Amino acid sequence: MNTQKMRGAISQNAIYIVLVVLLIAITAYDPSFFAVSTLRDILIQSATRVIIALGVAFILITGGTDLSAGRMVGLTAVISASMLQVSDYGRRFFPDLPQLWVGIPIIIALIAGLLFGLLNGFIVSKFKVPPFIATLGTMVAIYGVNSLYFDTKPNQSQPIGGLRQDFTDIGSGSIGSGDYSIPYIVLIAIFVAFIVWVVFNKTKLGKNMYAIGGNEQAARVSGINVAKNLLWIYGIAGALYGLAGVLEAARTGGATNNYGNMYELDAIAACVVGGVSTTGGIGTVPGVVTGVLIFTVINYGLTFIGVSPYWQLIIKGLIIVAAVAFDMRKYASKK
């Protein structure tokens, strides 16, 4: 293999190399890090973040951005948790609500995420509001809606707890037992990642998404209904945020209106580090998943070896800037 081919191979697989190097470096410092239980914890912590990042990837590939993702996670976490408390809990959100089938509140939460996603898509596609501004506005509005709902009597802004076991088992249960068990939440994230991969690579919507991100004007000229496709894309992203909110409530066994705060920034960062172009038109599911894993390894691994959280923020920030700089350099070289 000549030098040029080697550089190309390294460039194409840089993100996977970074992940492996991180794991090796942390394990070399503390060999106990490379334990099955540690890797299992990393996968559990990554599961909901992967789903959020995949939703954000839909938007980024079209050349947009979504700042409302985290607040949608918080809203749907509160909605699902508020309807799935045990009947004898002292501070039930809905004291007279009968014990519903666990799927009903989950479906309601998913619909809520879908509707707010469609709202984002409608504002962007019909009113031509830049995605940054449109989703910034809905981010604030969704937090307001969630806070009003969370503050209703008799709850009045108290953390929602006492969740039913059939719900929390979704977030904490697993197939098998011990460290070698496979958590349900990880299986759900893998399934969602596979479905999103199919949408990206095997559907007309996926092809149109890449075309819109590559050159929106050219996509219009080629006959693509940009407004309709953007509506679908933002709607799907919203539904994914809704699913992540449900899983986050199930995983933690509770919810507050502050759930999901700043999750959108972590998701955008993971996408960028995972190779999703900030200029649109480029991005893969494996890249996004690896980007999430990199940040989870940084958070978990550096905490594991006792590195200050402030240094962790510095390291994460440098990685994000480097990833964007590399992306822009590639974009400039193609022009």
Side-chain angles (χ1 to χ4, degrees):
M1 181 182 291
N2 59 38
T3 304
Q4 188 174 359
K5 287 184 178 180
M6 185 177 295
R7 286 178 179 174
I10 292 173
S11 176
Q12 290 178 0
N13 298 284
I15 183 174
Y16 307 108
I17 295 172
V18 169
L19 179 59
V20 172
V21 169
L22 274 173
L23 288 170
I24 292 173
I26 296 171
T27 304
Y29 186 89
D30 187 343
S32 64
F33 178 77
F34 202 73
V36 175
S37 59
T38 301
L39 297 178
R40 186 176 183 275
D41 288 342
I42 288 173
L43 291 176
I44 291 172
Q45 290 186 22
S46 299
T48 54
R49 303 300 180 104
V50 163
I51 295 171
I52 299 166
L54 290 171
V56 169
F58 271 96
I59 313 302
L60 291 177
I61 291 173
T62 66
T65 190
D66 192 347
L67 299 180
S68 66
R71 292 308 184 185
M72 285 197 216
V73 170
L75 174 64
T76 52
V78 167
I79 289 174
S80 56
S82 68
M83 293 185 282
L84 286 168
Q85 293 173 292
V86 294
S87 58
D88 58 350
Y89 188 66
R91 290 198 318 270
R92 290 193 73 198
F93 199 98
F94 295 111
D96 300 323
L97 185 71
Q99 295 291 285
L100 302 171
W101 172 57
V102 68
I104 293 176
I106 293 174
I107 292 170
I108 292 172
L110 291 177
I111 291 173
L114 172 66
L115 291 176
F116 276 109
L118 290 172
L119 176 62
N120 280 337
F122 183 77
I123 295 170
V124 170
S125 62
K126 295 298 182 181
F127 294 106
K128 310 302 179 185
V129 177
F132 180 89
I133 301 300
T135 58
L136 175 63
T138 53
M139 175 186 75
V140 176
I142 290 168
Y143 181 59
V145 170
N146 192 14
S147 296
L148 285 173
Y149 179 76
F150 189 64
D151 193 44
T152 55
K153 294 180 180 180
N155 191 65
Q156 294 186 301
S157 298
Q158 296 299 311
I160 300 173
L163 303 189
R164 287 162 35 185
Q165 187 172 351
D166 58 348
F167 179 54
T168 57
D169 279 349
I170 298 172
S172 59
S174 59
I175 297 175
S177 60
D179 292 340
Y180 292 94
S181 60
I182 305 174
Y184 296 142
I185 195 170
V186 174
L187 292 175
I188 293 170
I190 292 171
F191 177 73
V192 170
F194 173 73
I195 296 298
V196 172
W197 181 88
V198 171
V199 173
F200 277 19
N201 297 280
K202 303 296 181 180
T203 67
K204 184 178 179 181
L205 178 65
K207 292 179 174 63
N208 291 346
M209 176 182 68
Y210 283 103
I212 293 168
N215 189 322
E216 184 174 327
Q217 193 57 41
R220 292 182 191 278
V221 172
S222 66
I224 294 174
N225 188 331
V226 173
K228 181 180 178 181
N229 279 274
L230 286 177
L231 205 60
W232 273 104
I233 288 165
Y234 277 88
I236 292 172
L240 288 174
Y241 306 149
L243 175 60
V246 168
L247 293 177
E248 195 69 1
R251 182 180 71 87
T252 60
T256 75
N257 62 329
N258 285 316
Y259 265 39
N261 185 31
M262 305 296 285
Y263 279 20
E264 68 280 351
L265 298 185
D266 286 344
I268 292 170
C271 287
V272 171
V273 169
V276 180
S277 177
T278 54
T279 57
I282 299 173
T284 67
V285 170
V288 172
V289 172
T290 307
V292 172
L293 288 173
I294 283 177
F295 280 109
T296 306
V297 168
I298 290 172
N299 289 336
Y300 193 98
L302 295 184
T303 300
F304 188 87
I305 62 177
V307 175
S308 166
Y310 304 121
W311 276 108
Q312 294 179 35
L313 292 173
I314 292 171
I315 293 169
K316 286 172 65 177
L318 290 174
I319 290 174
I320 294 167
V321 172
V324 174
F326 182 71
D327 175 55
M328 295 307 295
R329 186 177 178 182
K330 286 196 301 182
Y331 176 74
S333 66
K334 291 177 181 180
K335 292 185 71 175

